[in-house]
Amino acid sequence: MDTALAIRARGIAKYFGDVVALDGVDLDVTQGQIHGLVGPNGAGKTTLLGLLLGLSVADRGTLEILGAPVGRALAVPEGVAGFVDGPGLYPSLTARQNLAALAALGGQDARGAGIDDALEQVGLTDVADDRARGFSLGMRQRLGLAAALLTRPRLLVLDEPSNGLDPAGKRHVHGVLSRLAADGTGVVLSSHRMDDLEALCSEVTILATGRVVFSGPPAKLTAENRELDYRLRTSDPEAARRIAAGTAGIRAVDDTGPVRQDTEVIVVRALGPALDELVVRIVQSGIALRELAPVVSPLEAAFLALTEQQTAPQEGGR
């Protein structure tokens, strides 16, 4: 049995005068999936998010959200929540008052809207009675997420929700999104944070100059035959370098970054199988391998490879 689609877009195009912001975009997001949306500045991400939230309409193509066709009106089906360019808040009201006001606008009784639960989920219980004007960027992002939770969304659309988050705030946001997806909510997450996407998303779509250049599981993206640079920290770096030099498919990298000052670290460039062979040889030689990590995350490396050749002749697509 196929999983129901939260979003089905086909051939979506959006123009701003002579600027093509979106050019034939296809997108499928299933219920219960966290789907990442990434791309360089000007790729069309914000424009696409606006379409999904009913803030604008497509000039061409078809869009279905939660099984309902979206026409040429500024509207989306009930059950869609989220924000673009940061949540809209009342700075003179407290966090709790902001949520109560939003609940009232939605026709909800504030007492039964689950305000305290929403604040707890995003980790803002301790500042529930503080005015929003004093909130940091990360706290405003979390309050915007709490506001979205009040609607009990079946589709949640978020633009850079990790902006300004400290580690505790990030943990709260990740937990909320994971629980929503586990309960069947579709989530679209736009972010420049590759670590967030790798941790949360079962699929990603990469946009460049208004077009989709990849859509699918991150594992498919990063499993392609592409060499990556890896940082190895060992108990005997000189011996590790000699072993690396004698391992087929391994190339030493003259790294100019901060790790160059760390005498326990070597940097090599390799495909996955060659790296596996190097690790086996190092361990068999009795050398302790204390750290092994890509210098740039596999997802980020693939993203750069897919988008670096794309040029944007016009800067209007957001």
Side-chain angles (χ1 to χ4, degrees):
M1 180 177 177
D2 293 336
T3 303
L5 288 177
I7 298 169
R8 184 182 187 275
R10 292 293 181 271
I12 294 295
K14 182 66 180 178
Y15 312 109
F16 296 99
D18 295 332
V19 176
V20 181
L22 296 173
D23 187 8
V25 169
D26 294 344
L27 178 67
D28 286 340
V29 177
T30 60
Q31 295 284 49
Q33 175 191 86
I34 302 179
H35 193 109
L37 185 63
V38 292
N41 293 335
K45 302 184 302 296
T46 303
T47 300
L48 181 55
L49 295 179
L51 295 178
L52 299 179
L53 287 170
L55 302 177
S56 63
V57 296
D59 295 310
R60 181 166 52 83
T62 60
L63 176 61
E64 294 180 5
I65 296 180
L66 299 176
V70 175
R72 295 293 182 253
L74 293 176
V76 291
E78 188 175 340
V80 180
F83 54 79
V84 176
D85 286 334
L89 302 171
Y90 299 103
S92 62
L93 300 184
T94 68
R96 181 177 282 109
Q97 288 169 340
N98 262 280
L99 298 189
L102 292 171
L105 287 173
Q108 294 176 278
D109 181 350
R111 290 171 295 181
I115 290 173
D116 288 341
D117 179 60
L119 290 168
E120 182 179 2
Q121 286 192 61
V122 301
L124 293 179
T125 300
D126 291 343
V127 295
D129 296 313
D130 293 350
R131 296 186 187 277
R133 68 160 51 95
F135 281 10
S136 67
L137 172 60
M139 292 166 70
R140 293 197 300 271
Q141 294 290 91
R142 284 191 275 165
L143 185 54
L145 178 56
L149 294 178
L150 295 183
T151 67
R152 296 172 177 82
R154 291 185 291 147
L155 172 63
L156 183 62
V157 179
L158 299 174
D159 184 17
E160 299 287 355
S162 293
N163 268 359
L165 292 183
D166 58 20
K170 181 176 177 178
R171 184 175 66 249
H172 280 292
V173 169
H174 282 204
V176 169
L177 299 182
S178 297
R179 287 192 296 272
L180 285 172
D183 290 339
T185 297
V187 179
V188 177
L189 172 67
S190 172
S191 179
H192 287 101
R193 294 288 303 269
M194 298 298 169
D195 54 342
D196 285 339
L197 299 174
E198 289 176 319
L200 290 168
C201 297
S202 56
E203 293 202 3
V204 296
T205 291
I206 298 178
L207 292 176
T209 63
R211 299 179 179 177
V212 174
V213 295
F214 174 84
S215 192
K220 179 181 177 182
L221 184 64
T222 59
E224 296 178 358
N225 293 328
R226 183 179 295 112
E227 288 184 328
L228 293 177
D229 291 352
Y230 294 91
R231 182 176 60 248
L232 290 85
R233 184 188 302 274
T234 71
S235 60
D236 190 342
E238 291 305 319
R241 286 189 182 91
R242 289 193 296 271
I243 295 171
T247 303
I250 299 291
R251 288 185 291 160
V253 175
D254 183 16
D255 187 79
T256 57
V259 296
R260 187 173 184 175
Q261 305 302 319
D262 192 332
T263 57
E264 293 184 353
V265 170
I266 66 171
V267 178
V268 299
R269 182 168 298 158
L271 294 172
L275 183 70
D276 293 342
E277 176 63 21
L278 174 60
V279 170
V280 169
R281 291 187 174 194
I282 287 175
V283 173
Q284 287 179 342
S285 298
I287 300 170
L289 183 60
R290 295 168 176 167
E291 179 187 357
L292 171 61
V295 174
V296 176
S297 77
L299 180 56
E300 183 172 354
F303 165 78
L304 292 172
L306 284 168
T307 61
E308 64 185 2
Q309 301 301 323
Q310 301 288 332
T311 59
Q314 296 169 317
E315 292 294 331
R318 296 188 64 210

